[in-house]
Amino acid sequence: MNYGVFVPGASPDGHATPRVGVQWNDAVVDLGLLGLDAPPGLFDGPSLNPFMAAGPDVWAAVAEQLADPAADLERAATPVERANLLLPIEVADYVDFYASIDHATNVGLLFRPDQPLMPNWRHLPVGYHGRAGTVVVSGTPVRRPHGQRLDAHGTVVFGPSTRLDFELEVGFVVGVPSGQGAPVPVEGAASHVFGVVLLNDWSARDIQAWEYQPLGPFLGKSFATSVSAWVTPLADLEGARIAPPAQSPEPLPYLQTDQPWGLDLDLTVERNGEQVSACPFAPMYWTLAQFVAHLTVNGASLRTGDLLGSGTVSGPEPGQRGCLLEMGGPFLADGDEVVLRGQAVNGVALGEVRGVVV
Ligand code: MN
């Protein structure tokens, strides 16, 4: 079941206490009201972090109790239209990867037709550290960012971005922390990562193009990142695991495992009510396990609430482009609404991400 944080009532009430809940039919079930057998303090809100930090045994024990008809979820249910869903996690560190070979190739072709993939791309999952403090929940309006860019004559100007884009991504949420100086092996991801959100990495392409060399994305992306209000446990997606694409050349040993797995998810992008893209997650080149192994191999630690973005999800076909840069525009206008949705092959629906440009 999908987990989230909510305040009862159709609009935010400064006096109401946020509560941890699960999505059940068209309702939110308040876990604090069920008398579950679990360590104290996990469901008192305002975030899923205490529950996520409790680890896989507690996650499994709670899921088992919720699946038992004796739990009687009805008595703790609030209709979803009467619940105000909040940002489900207190975001610790935010990292965004670049794991789709189709996206990296399509974007690379725009700038380097002779060598679309950089020499490092097939050796490590390329990523950058983003801004955790501007991650917002689905439904939050996104203000068009202002910044420096080059105009058509190559002059540096300042003003609102004229090339505002979305990026369709999957985000992975860390529950169990790891120690500094103690790398997590490639088999260790499922012991640390609690679940999955959909993620829109809003990107101002004009600001990005002017600022990004040589140190990477900065203000062109840090103004807002939207995530779904619902976090889907990784455990619920075990039935959606598939073999990932073969990797060539073979990566270094710390990125290898005998049993690699990806996720078979179907993702869509809707713009102003019209579907503009349908992207499979299955062809993603780098896996979650490799993200975690690579992120920690230098001794960096994981923290509860870390958010790991997959990078833009694009597939090999023309209708499988995860951002407007790859589609050739047109870029987002004020008032445009972007909705990301996702469904796993085992029938589990991910939480949607909705945002309007203002
Ligand atoms: Mn991104």
Side-chain angles (χ1 to χ4, degrees), residues 147-192:
Q148 282 194 27
R149 58 184 163 84
L150 296 182
D151 71 7
H153 310 289
T155 304
V156 181
V157 297
F158 178 86
S161 170
T162 61
R163 291 165 66 85
L164 184 59
D165 201 351
F166 56 79
E167 288 188 347
L168 165 66
E169 302 197 20
V170 169
F172 298 97
V173 182
V174 171
V176 178
S178 69
Q180 198 166 351
V184 177
V186 70
E187 293 83 9
S191 319
H192 290 273

Side-chain angles (χ1 to χ4, degrees), residues 28-320:
V28 188
V29 174
D30 186 336
L31 294 189
L33 297 180
L34 292 178
L36 298 171
D37 179 16
L42 299 190
F43 306 127
D44 302 341
S47 83
L48 293 175
N49 289 38
F51 174 59
M52 297 196 304
D57 291 347
V58 170
W59 307 337
V62 168
E64 191 176 328
Q65 292 174 68
L66 292 175
D68 184 342
D72 188 13
L73 304 186
E74 185 74 51
R75 69 199 154 98
T78 299
V80 75
E81 65 272 13
R82 297 208 51 247
N84 190 54
L85 294 165
L86 308 180
L87 185 65
I89 60 171
E90 184 185 340
V91 183
D93 293 303
Y94 165 43
V95 172
D96 200 24
F97 287 95
Y98 195 51
S100 162
I101 197 166
D102 295 300
H103 172 68
T105 302
N106 292 340
V107 171
L109 281 170
L110 298 175
F111 303 104
R112 298 176 303 276
D114 49 326
Q115 190 206 28
L117 286 182
M118 296 294 273
N120 60 1
W121 200 90
R122 287 175 177 272
H123 292 275
L124 54 82
V126 169
Y128 70 95
H129 279 94
R131 193 159 189 85
T134 51
V135 175
V136 297
V137 70
S138 173
T140 307
V142 172
R143 179 180 167 276
R144 179 180 298 274
H146 288 56
Q148 282 194 27
R149 58 184 163 84
L150 296 182
D151 71 7
H153 310 289
T155 304
V156 181
V157 297
F158 178 86
S161 170
T162 61
R163 291 165 66 85
L164 184 59
D165 201 351
F166 56 79
E167 288 188 347
L168 165 66
E169 302 197 20
V170 169
F172 298 97
V173 182
V174 171
V176 178
S178 69
Q180 198 166 351
V184 177
V186 70
E187 293 83 9
S191 319
H192 290 273
V193 176
F194 170 69
V196 174
V197 292
L198 286 178
L199 184 154
N200 185 343
D201 177 21
W202 303 93
S203 300
R205 301 302 184 191
D206 42 2
I207 297 172
Q208 184 184 357
W210 172 231
E211 73 178 359
Y212 86 104
Q213 288 178 318
L215 290 186
F218 194 37
L219 305 189
K221 285 171 177 284
S222 63
F223 55 95
T225 305
S226 299
V227 296
S228 54
W230 296 114
V231 183
T232 302
L234 213 46
D236 289 6
L237 298 175
E238 277 178 12
R241 288 189 183 191
I242 45 148
Q247 296 183 329
S248 176
E250 204 170 65
L252 290 173
Y254 80 90
L255 292 170
Q256 283 184 34
T257 169
D258 293 340
Q259 296 185 307
W261 53 273
L263 290 171
D264 193 352
L265 312 174
D266 290 318
L267 312 177
T268 61
V269 183
E270 186 183 288
R271 179 179 185 175
N272 298 329
E274 185 185 336
Q275 185 171 303
V276 296
S277 205
C279 304
F281 193 73
M284 294 296 275
Y285 189 88
W286 295 103
T287 68
L288 168 63
Q290 291 173 319
F291 293 165
V292 172
H294 186 64
L295 181 59
T296 59
V297 74
N298 66 344
S301 53
L302 296 174
R303 295 200 291 165
T304 301
D306 280 358
L307 177 62
L308 316 181
S310 63
T312 306
V313 181
S314 294
E317 306 298 329
Q320 301 176 338

